[in-house]
Amino acid sequence: QVLSFLVVFVAGIIIGLATSGHINTYFSSQAQLFSTSTVTSFQVSSNKANCNQTQAPCPEIDYLSMDAFIHPMNLTHKLSDDELFWRASMMPYKKEYPFPRVPKVAFMFLTRGPLPFMPLWERFFKDHEIFFSIYLHTPPDYYLNVSTSSPFYGRQIPSQRVEWGSFLLADAERRLLANALLDFSNERFILLSESCIPVYNFPTVYKYLIGSTYSFVESYDDPTRYGRGRYNRKMLPHIKLYQWRKGSQWFEMQRSVATYIVSDTKYYNLFKKYCKPACYPDEHYIPTYLNMFHGSLNANRTITWVDWSMGGPHPAKYEGVNVTEGFIQSIRNNGTLCSYNDELTSVCYLFARKFAPSALEPLLNLSSTVMNF
């Protein structure tokens, strides 16, 4: 009997302890759940109260917003060049767009600071906002002071130092392309300087570029010391002499070609290592790369007129006294023919350089009568 009593007693203690543990766990979990619910409820109520205090509805944050992905409104970011080029190299395989897409022309200005022809460009862009984007690569410490109504407002990209004749210039060109590629509506990409001007109105330029099957990158074989003479045999076997090309820095290209350019690492690094003065990467890298891999997409000509007749490392610069109706007309139609979508045309140049700031006033006087904007 004593033994039976002890067994029953011990069993009772064990059952009691187990039951007590379950009860404590249950009430602890319920207390924690209640506490969490209370805090969450308090935070939501508090947020709603704050929204009500400002008399504004609470914004609904969508971190996967399609608009933010396809149309970045704020050009400021902290991406390194490697991160930026990787992000810009993404090309969708799906041809259709899941949003209404109006193809835009990205006007990319590579400048040393001020834009003396901004009033002319503002007149050129007026009333065509949905068809273009602007990107400015300036010295890192330069601030472009323009009104909020200007199409140039807030269009400076995160820039770095640029030095003429060095690979930093090619870096800046790719940086402009990469930032412009982040906007999926940009279909054509034109590189311009602060001394460039348009010689046709916006509708003409837009139709010409959007309707083109080809990119406009000058790429030719120059057998002189200014062409083949700049080739470095250390680029072998990846780049051979017969593949070496030269061309104008001022290019225009379609989206697929721009994506190829920012995606390239191998040949970009070869040029960075072996193309140094008197080899100028901005005149050789893109023309050579396109000639090697994507020549069928290129018209092998530039659409930016420039006068090299004076000789030397820089083209002629035109002052205000040089700007006349006849001069602008001679750029628009200089009597030569060029290929456009495999057919001949007399409209070969849409832009021109190099113009001094003194040319602004006469250009503004001619913009409505000659260039029709």
Side-chain angles (χ1 to χ4, degrees):
Q1 290 179 348
V2 173
L3 183 60
S4 299
F5 176 80
L6 288 175
V7 170
V8 173
F9 180 77
V10 171
I13 292 175
I14 293 173
I15 294 171
L17 290 174
T19 304
S20 175
H22 282 297
I23 292 172
N24 288 340
T25 302
Y26 173 79
F27 281 108
S28 296
S29 63
Q30 290 299 309
Q32 184 178 5
L33 179 62
F34 176 79
S35 174
T36 303
S37 301
T38 303
V39 171
T40 304
S41 176
F42 173 77
Q43 289 174 341
V44 171
S45 300
S46 178
N47 289 339
K48 288 183 177 180
N50 290 337
C51 290
N52 292 334
Q53 288 173 3
T54 58
Q55 297 182 345
C58 293
E60 189 172 317
I61 300 175
D62 183 2
Y63 294 102
L64 295 178
S65 167
M66 179 65 77
D67 287 341
F69 179 69
I70 62 177
H71 301 302
M73 298 302 295
N74 188 350
L75 300 188
T76 302
H77 59 74
K78 295 183 179 180
L79 297 175
S80 67
D81 277 356
D82 286 341
E83 293 170 334
L84 174 65
F85 296 152
W86 178 82
R87 170 66 178 83
S89 69
M90 298 180 182
M91 182 187 294
Y93 281 96
K94 191 175 180 63
K95 299 301 181 183
E96 302 83 10
Y97 290 88
F99 59 92
R101 182 178 185 262
V102 177
K104 296 189 293 186
V105 177
F107 291 81
M108 308 180 303
F109 290 84
L110 179 57
T111 80
R112 292 171 290 185
L115 289 166
F117 297 106
M118 187 184 297
L120 182 71
W121 283 106
E122 288 176 335
R123 187 177 293 185
F124 169 80
F125 288 126
K126 185 175 173 57
D127 299 327
H128 303 291
E129 288 75 14
I130 66 171
F131 300 108
F132 70 87
S133 302
I134 294 176
Y135 299 86
L136 302 172
H137 191 295
T138 64
D141 57 349
Y142 180 77
Y143 173 71
L144 185 68
N145 187 17
V146 293
S147 68
T148 56
S149 61
S150 171
F152 291 89
Y153 178 77
R155 304 309 297 177
Q156 286 178 268
I157 68 169
S159 305
Q160 296 183 29
R161 183 177 63 88
V162 173
E163 185 178 311
W164 183 83
S166 75
F167 212 84
L168 296 176
L169 198 55
D171 288 338
E173 293 174 3
R174 298 213 323 161
R175 198 172 295 122
L176 277 165
L177 277 175
N179 278 276
L181 279 167
L182 297 184
D183 188 330
F184 280 82
S185 290
N186 288 330
E187 184 61 34
R188 308 291 302 204
F189 303 79
I190 175 74
L191 181 67
L192 302 159
S193 75
E194 71 270 14
S195 65
C196 286
I197 65 163
V199 293
Y200 285 94
N201 60 22
F202 186 90
T204 302
V205 170
Y206 181 83
K207 182 179 179 180
Y208 194 99
L209 297 181
I210 295 296
S212 176
T213 305
Y214 302 101
S215 295
F216 297 99
V217 180
E218 191 175 51
S219 177
Y220 61 94
D221 181 16
D222 181 357
T224 71
R225 64 188 179 97
Y226 301 109
R228 290 194 182 188
R230 296 173 177 175
Y231 171 75
N232 190 330
R233 293 188 178 276
K234 292 181 179 179
M235 294 182 173
L236 287 170
H238 309 290
I239 302 175
K240 300 175 177 63
L241 179 60
Y242 75 87
Q243 297 171 316
W244 185 257
R245 291 294 183 270
K246 182 181 179 181
S248 170
Q249 173 190 4
W250 310 104
F251 60 74
E252 191 283 336
M253 59 183 61
Q254 63 215 72
R255 186 174 184 89
S256 60
V257 172
T259 307
Y260 294 140
I261 296 298
V262 301
S263 302
D264 171 49
T265 300
K266 177 179 177 179
Y267 295 90
Y268 175 76
N269 287 335
L270 275 174
F271 270 84
K272 193 169 188 176
K273 187 174 182 179
Y274 296 118
C275 184
K276 297 179 180 179
C279 174
Y280 302 104
D282 55 291
E283 294 182 2
H284 295 282
Y285 167 61
I286 294 179
T288 299
Y289 180 77
L290 289 189
N291 171 63
M292 293 175 64
F293 300 107
H294 308 290
S296 62
L297 300 176
N298 188 26
N300 287 333
R301 67 180 179 91
T302 180
I303 53 172
T304 301
W305 179 89
V306 65
D307 181 6
W308 289 101
S309 63
M310 305 296 291
H314 300 286
K317 179 183 285 189
Y318 290 92
E319 302 285 345
V321 294
N322 305 120
V323 179
T324 63
E325 180 177 345
F327 175 60
I328 299 299
Q329 291 289 17
S330 70
I331 297 174
R332 287 160 57 98
N333 188 352
N334 59 8
T336 61
L337 297 176
C338 57
S339 176
Y340 178 79
N341 287 348
D342 301 319
E343 295 183 0
L344 293 180
T345 178
S346 60
V347 180
C348 300
Y349 298 108
L350 305 180
F351 309 95
R353 65 184 301 270
K354 190 174 184 179
F355 290 85
S358 62
L360 175 61
E361 186 173 347
L363 284 169
L364 287 173
N365 293 335
L366 293 173
S367 65
S368 59
T369 57
V370 178
M371 297 174 280
N372 299 316
F373 63 84

